[in-house]
Amino acid sequence: MELFRAHVIDVDGDPLRGNGRLRALPDGALAVEQGIIMSVDDYDTLLHRHPGSHVHDHRGSFLLPGLIDVHVHFPQLPVIGAMGLPLLSWLNRRTFPAEARLNNAESARPAARSFLRRLAANGTTTALAFGSHIPQAQQVFFEEAAASGLRVCSGLSLGDRDLPEALLRDADTCYRESLELIKRWNGTEGIRYAVTPRFSVCCSEAVLDICGTLMRENEGLLFQTHINENRDEIDLVQRLFPWAEDYFATYERYGLTGSQCVYAHNLHAGEDELSRMASAGVAVAHCPSSNSFLGSGSFPMRQHLEYGIPFAAASDVGAGTGFSLFKEALAAYETQMLREDGVALDPAALLYLVTGAGAKLLGMDDLVGSLESGKQADFVLMSPPPQSTLAAVISEAGSSGQILGALITLAREESVAATWVAGREVYRR
Ligand SMILES: [Zn+2]
């Protein structure tokens, strides 16, 4: 048995919907055996229960559940900080050219390693990641994801129009290349395959149709795409699909519905569209820093709660401003503070947005998302640099809630000391 001793901070239940709360143990510990959390309690209690355990003493640091990023793009790390452009010109001028440069295994391997390393360095233990359009690059990404020890859901990005030549594939090729990667990777080595049409702008009906076919023909897949991010994008989708009553209809027609589907953004959905998304059981990835960075709009969180559409926070690197999910939680908080119909979010609700809510979206809430006995030992250790503003704020904090508020506001990469997945250390600063 191993005991990890620290100030343990977690969320019990779902505080976004009024049935959850902060759970903190200032001198607490996790008891871990064979990658599983056996118990969480005060350190003295656990030591008494498990005498002779190997103790990892992290007093003075904060131990939280591993963070879960439900929307991030593998090939987009170099695009972080590409300023001055709204979505469609940001894609055409900066992002597609950068993605097209990762066109073989040699260029993809260091990019994949760097991307996965940055996830772990930010305390992210599980990610739903958009892949490359190029199968050789995506194959390398899966190889490196398996080697990283992280939990990674991803898939080949698909599109047959409005993309640079290097990223284009016709529908038959999209189907064949996706199927090869599904057969090789889905359900192996911590990896789950996600069928990934880029967005309706880049996908003819034939491509959306083969996505529906792939989802029906293969068990246990996830689905991810974009929806209702930017007004110009929505107008373009309307012109490309004149029969569709709204953006969601372009996916709905091909059966891209159900709880395994994660739609990123959804800032400008109409009432009927929200109601159909709720009935279809799909979930939304909320990417607040990306939405501000591209000037796309702000997330109507209250509407999503009222319609009963599940959502979780995500980084959306490279339109997002970095890999830190604490930063995204802060951006989600600020977004709701600025909206007239904003939802009041406390530190527990914000931590839930980047942990338990994501686990639920990915159908992994029996495995990860909180520090409970029986779940996988996925956790992050936060240790603010001694001379930092964060350390100064925490030294004055009167409660675990205040400490969590300070971590969300100020803790970034430099405060992440180490990250574990299934009890195995995958990162140390
Ligand atoms: Zn995205």
Side-chain angles (χ1 to χ4, degrees), residues 213-270:
T213 306
L214 286 167
M215 292 301 291
R216 280 192 304 278
E217 288 180 349
N218 298 277
E219 270 189 37
L221 302 187
L222 290 166
F223 172 84
Q224 60 178 342
T225 193
H226 298 95
I227 195 167
N228 290 320
E229 180 173 2
N230 164 295
R231 299 273 184 203
D232 291 340
E233 170 212 18
I234 296 168
D235 290 346
L236 185 52
V237 169
Q238 204 59 258
R239 289 200 295 279
L240 290 166
F241 298 84
W243 51 264
E245 64 225 79
D246 49 40
Y247 202 151
F248 184 57
T250 65
Y251 299 119
E252 199 179 23
R253 172 174 283 202
Y254 299 100
L256 302 170
T257 54
S259 61
Q260 67 282 24
C261 297
V262 179
Y263 284 87
H265 305 301
N266 206 34
L267 304 181
H268 310 289

Side-chain angles (χ1 to χ4, degrees), residues 174-193:
C174 287
Y175 177 81
R176 186 172 40 76
E177 291 175 346
S178 297
L179 195 59
E180 279 172 24
L181 288 165
I182 290 167
K183 293 220 179 306
R184 167 65 187 85
W185 290 104
N186 188 43
T188 65
E189 302 166 79
I191 284 170
R192 209 162 146 204
Y193 197 89

Side-chain angles (χ1 to χ4, degrees), residues 31 38-51 53:
M38 306 311 285
S39 45
V40 188
D41 215 324
D42 290 321
Y43 171 72
D44 287 343
T45 308
L46 281 189
L47 190 64
H48 185 73
R49 205 180 296 161
H50 307 288
S53 295

Side-chain angles (χ1 to χ4, degrees), residues 71 73 226 265 316:
H71 186 73
H73 292 253
H226 298 95
H265 305 301
D316 195 23

Side-chain angles (χ1 to χ4, degrees), residues 69-76 115 119 124 126-131 153-154 224 287 314-318 322-323:
D69 192 341
V70 294
H71 186 73
V72 59
H73 292 253
F74 148 53
Q76 290 185 11
F115 173 86
L119 288 178
T124 298
T126 299
L128 172 58
F130 252 67
C153 314
S154 183
Q224 60 178 342
C287 314
S315 72
D316 195 23
V317 158
F323 290 93

